[in-house]
Amino acid sequence: MDWGTDLWDQNDVIDKHTQSGLDLVERYIKFVKERTEIEQSYAKQLRSLSKKYAKRGSKEEQDCRFSNHASFQDILNELNDYAGQRELIAENMMTGICVELTKFLQDFKQERKTHLADAKKAQQNLESNFKHLESTKKRFAKEWAEAEKATQQAEKTENDLNATKLDVEKAKQHAHARTHTAEECRNDYAALLQKYNKEQNFFYYTEIPQIFNKLQDMDERRIRRLAGGYSQFSDIEKNVLPIISKCLEGISAAGGKINEKQDSLLLIEQHKSGFERPGDVEFEDYTQGIKAATSESSLNPPKVRAKLWPFSKKHKIAHVEKQPPPAAEDFSHLPPEQRKKRLQAKIDDITKELQKAQDQSEALEKMKGVYEQNPQMGDPSSLEPQITETTQNIGRLRGELTKYETWLSEAVGGEESANAINNNTQHGVGAVERSHIYTDFDDEFDDIENPIGQCTALYTFEGNSEGTISITEGEQLSVMEEDKGDGWMRVLKSNGEEGYIPSSYVKQAS
């Protein structure tokens, strides 16, 4: 069954049906375009989201050493990769479906237009021939009527007794001429009718069926191509599902990699000071006339801040322009445990550099020996500057190694003595720098203290060490103790929290 056979007389139906099919292709293309826009927007928002929450800066990188922080970064990375797959889906849908189907649609529109034009042309040609046939038929009918009329007139004249022979002869000649003309018209009509019937048969049995069958083939190809586009809509996403699954598996794996015990141990290793806890405050019996040695009253015991490790001056402070004082070369600004770790790390680095310099020196000496034995290979004296420089570098590194090993020995050996006096002093190079802070701790806090001024925080400060407090930019603070030359001052917050902050981070009220 085909259109040419069964729908030979349904030209308008075929016209509307094929147009409806092309309209469907156009609708599908528009649908896929809107889907790609959704995918692109979704991918863009996912990328923005992962970028927004990604860790940046040295402090964040330090946090990423903890498994729960690192896992969140892994999730953000996987989400970014996931967004890339959504972009790939959008790109493949645009190029594989929209672009290809648009080109296909334009070709089909032109093909349909050609076939319908051919059908219309054939129809017009048949109608024109039919009109010509009708015209010939009417002429034949007219001429035949005139011939019959002339014949009857000739017979009437011949039977008329009053008619002359000449009149009879004229009537017969006229009747004969009319009959001859009618016969010619009859022959023309018969020939044209035969030709028209042949053309009509070709039109209905050959020409129109061929055109309609071509339109049927075109429409079936359109349906097959559209069906492929439907499947492609799903297949494009299926192709990236393995990678999307890996991204989702990576997100699940990031949650499984978290080790809470390890994170706790890491925090301890990073920040433990190694100090002993403060000892009990001795009872001072004023009834016996004993003067207070380290505190003012047994009823109002001093704050224990003097027995805690003084705050570190090496902080990573966000959103500030001014930097705290530089760290001591021997790391004496750090708590004992942290100082030992940093000194050991420094010793390891110097040892590696020293080994590298020694290897270089040996290589230069060997090369110098080869040049001395084979002067044609090079001048031994040309190596002297490099040998001298390497020797000086080795001497410098050995000096630094000895210096840091001495500091490490002092840090290890001096820890017990430092703990025995409740951490009020430190053995090592940094003791002089902090002596002022320690000697003042016994009498720096009274039972009832009044603020000596007000100040406003210029920058945000994170007080992570013992004795310090955190402040926020713009926060109003009460000054409890001025800077005594060490770069720190004691303040009181509105919530009652009290501690030390860098003096350069606040502006005092005049």
Side-chain angles (χ1 to χ4, degrees):
M1 298 178 69
D2 53 55
W3 291 5
T5 301
D6 298 298
L7 299 178
W8 62 270
D9 57 345
Q10 300 296 325
N11 181 75
D12 291 344
V13 172
I14 292 175
D15 186 348
K16 292 179 181 179
H17 178 75
T18 52
Q19 181 60 49
S20 175
L22 296 182
D23 289 344
L24 178 61
V25 175
E26 201 161 6
R27 278 185 66 203
Y28 183 64
I29 292 172
K30 185 177 180 182
F31 162 75
V32 176
K33 281 183 178 179
E34 291 188 10
R35 165 69 189 277
T36 60
E37 290 173 359
I38 291 173
E39 289 290 352
Q40 290 170 344
S41 176
Y42 179 46
K44 183 178 180 181
Q45 291 180 43
L46 287 179
R47 287 194 183 279
S48 297
L49 182 66
S50 61
K51 183 179 180 180
K52 176 181 178 182
Y53 285 91
K55 291 282 189 179
R56 293 184 296 273
S58 57
K59 186 177 187 302
E60 286 78 1
E61 291 175 0
Q62 183 74 12
D63 288 341
C64 283
R65 296 178 62 186
F66 297 97
S67 63
N68 55 343
H69 287 264
S71 291
F72 184 51
Q73 292 304 305
D74 291 342
I75 290 174
L76 295 176
N77 292 335
E78 294 292 351
L79 187 64
N80 198 56
D81 293 341
Y82 178 85
Q85 298 308 308
R86 306 315 305 188
E87 290 174 339
L88 184 61
I89 290 174
E91 181 181 350
N92 290 342
M93 282 188 175
M94 181 59 71
T95 57
I97 298 179
C98 296
V99 175
E100 292 298 324
L101 274 183
T102 300
K103 181 180 178 182
F104 170 84
L105 180 63
Q106 296 302 321
D107 294 341
F108 266 51
K109 282 183 177 180
Q110 185 60 43
E111 183 178 352
R112 174 181 176 274
K113 183 179 180 180
T114 301
H115 292 325
L116 292 177
D118 290 343
K120 185 177 181 180
K121 182 179 179 181
Q123 179 70 30
Q124 290 174 343
N125 184 56
L126 184 65
E127 290 175 355
S128 175
N129 290 337
F130 182 75
K131 288 179 180 180
H132 186 47
L133 176 66
E134 285 294 311
S135 175
T136 305
K137 179 181 176 182
K138 288 180 181 180
R139 182 167 176 263
F140 165 60
K142 179 180 178 182
E143 291 296 333
W144 186 254
E146 291 292 333
E148 285 186 340
K149 184 178 178 181
T151 301
Q152 291 175 358
Q153 184 65 35
E155 291 176 354
K156 183 178 178 181
T157 303
E158 186 178 4
N159 294 328
D160 187 359
L161 297 177
N162 297 320
T164 64
K165 187 177 180 180
L166 182 60
D167 292 337
V168 173
E169 189 65 27
K170 284 183 178 180
K172 286 183 177 181
Q173 288 180 357
H174 179 70
H176 179 73
R178 283 291 182 180
T179 301
H180 180 72
T181 302
E183 285 294 333
E184 288 181 349
C185 289
R186 180 178 179 278
N187 292 336
D188 290 344
Y189 170 63
L192 196 60
L193 178 62
Q194 185 179 6
K195 179 183 177 183
Y196 174 78
N197 287 334
K198 186 177 180 181
E199 289 177 350
Q200 180 178 256
N201 185 275
F202 175 75
F203 175 81
Y204 285 114
Y205 288 91
T206 303
E207 190 172 20
I208 285 299
Q210 287 179 353
I211 293 173
F212 284 3
N213 286 341
K214 288 179 181 178
L215 285 168
Q216 180 183 0
D217 176 69
M218 182 204 76
D219 195 63
E220 290 175 355
R221 282 187 285 117
R222 173 195 64 81
I223 294 173
R224 285 196 301 271
R225 183 64 185 85
L226 186 58
Y230 288 166
S231 300
Q232 210 172 357
F233 186 79
S234 171
D235 294 340
I236 286 174
E237 188 159 357
K238 285 181 180 178
N239 291 338
V240 301
L241 279 181
I243 301 178
I244 289 178
S245 297
K246 287 184 179 179
C247 293
L248 297 177
E249 288 172 3
I251 292 175
S252 298
K257 288 192 302 183
I258 295 176
N259 186 328
E260 63 277 9
K261 295 297 183 183
Q262 180 182 346
D263 285 359
S264 296
L265 291 176
L266 181 59
L267 183 66
I268 293 172
E269 289 298 318
Q270 285 183 350
H271 299 289
K272 68 178 180 180
S273 67
F275 291 132
E276 294 294 333
R277 291 176 177 82
D280 293 339
V281 178
E282 295 181 2
F283 177 77
E284 299 173 10
D285 193 351
Y286 283 92
T287 61
Q288 303 299 322
I290 301 175
K291 278 191 173 183
T294 58
S295 64
E296 296 183 358
S297 171
S298 59
L299 298 178
N300 296 291
K303 299 181 181 180
V304 298
R305 187 171 290 115
K307 301 191 177 188
L308 300 177
W309 171 256
F311 39 83
S312 169
K313 295 184 181 179
K314 185 179 181 183
H315 285 296
K316 296 177 180 179
I317 302 169
H319 310 297
V320 295
E321 296 179 359
K322 296 184 179 180
Q323 297 297 324
E329 184 184 6
D330 63 349
F331 304 113
S332 57
H333 61 288
L334 297 174
E337 287 294 328
Q338 302 302 317
R339 183 189 182 200
K340 286 188 291 183
K341 288 182 181 179
R342 294 294 295 274
L343 286 171
Q344 185 60 56
K346 190 68 175 178
I347 290 172
D348 293 341
D349 292 341
I350 296 174
T351 301
K352 291 179 182 178
E353 292 184 30
L354 180 59
Q355 183 61 46
K356 183 178 179 181
Q358 289 174 341
D359 293 341
Q360 184 179 1
S361 177
E362 291 177 4
L364 290 171
E365 290 293 343
K366 288 180 181 179
M367 187 179 296
K368 180 180 179 182
V370 172
Y371 286 177
E372 289 175 346
Q373 295 177 4
N374 302 281
Q376 68 275 9
M377 296 182 65
D379 183 8
S381 60
S382 64
L383 299 176
E384 287 299 332
Q386 297 182 46
I387 294 175
T388 302
E389 182 181 354
T390 304
T391 303
Q392 292 175 350
N393 190 32
I394 291 174
R396 180 184 61 80
L397 291 172
R398 284 176 176 170
E400 287 190 6
L401 182 61
T402 302
K403 179 175 62 175
Y404 280 99
E405 285 177 343
T406 301
W407 284 337
L408 178 60
S409 176
E410 292 174 351
V412 174
E415 184 179 353
E416 293 183 1
S417 61
N419 292 334
I421 59 174
N422 287 325
N423 310 314
N424 285 335
T425 59
Q426 276 293 307
H427 183 75
V429 176
V432 175
E433 179 187 350
R434 293 181 301 280
S435 61
H436 176 71
I437 299 175
Y438 282 104
T439 54
D440 289 345
F441 271 1
D442 285 339
D443 57 359
E444 67 178 5
F445 297 122
D446 296 327
D447 289 333
I448 300 176
E449 291 183 286
N450 294 321
I452 60 176
Q454 299 292 322
C455 63
T456 304
L458 297 175
Y459 316 105
T460 297
F461 173 74
E462 299 292 339
N464 295 328
S465 298
E466 299 292 349
T468 63
I469 59 173
S470 299
I471 59 173
T472 306
E473 182 180 347
E475 185 176 2
Q476 298 296 320
L477 307 166
S478 298
V479 180
M480 306 303 292
E481 180 182 331
E482 294 283 359
D483 183 356
K484 296 183 178 180
D486 55 5
W488 300 85
M489 62 189 300
R490 182 161 56 92
V491 297
L492 176 67
K493 298 176 66 173
S494 59
N495 61 2
E497 189 178 357
E498 186 177 351
Y500 283 87
I501 61 169
S503 304
S504 60
Y505 285 63
V506 296
K507 178 181 180 181
Q508 297 193 42
S510 55

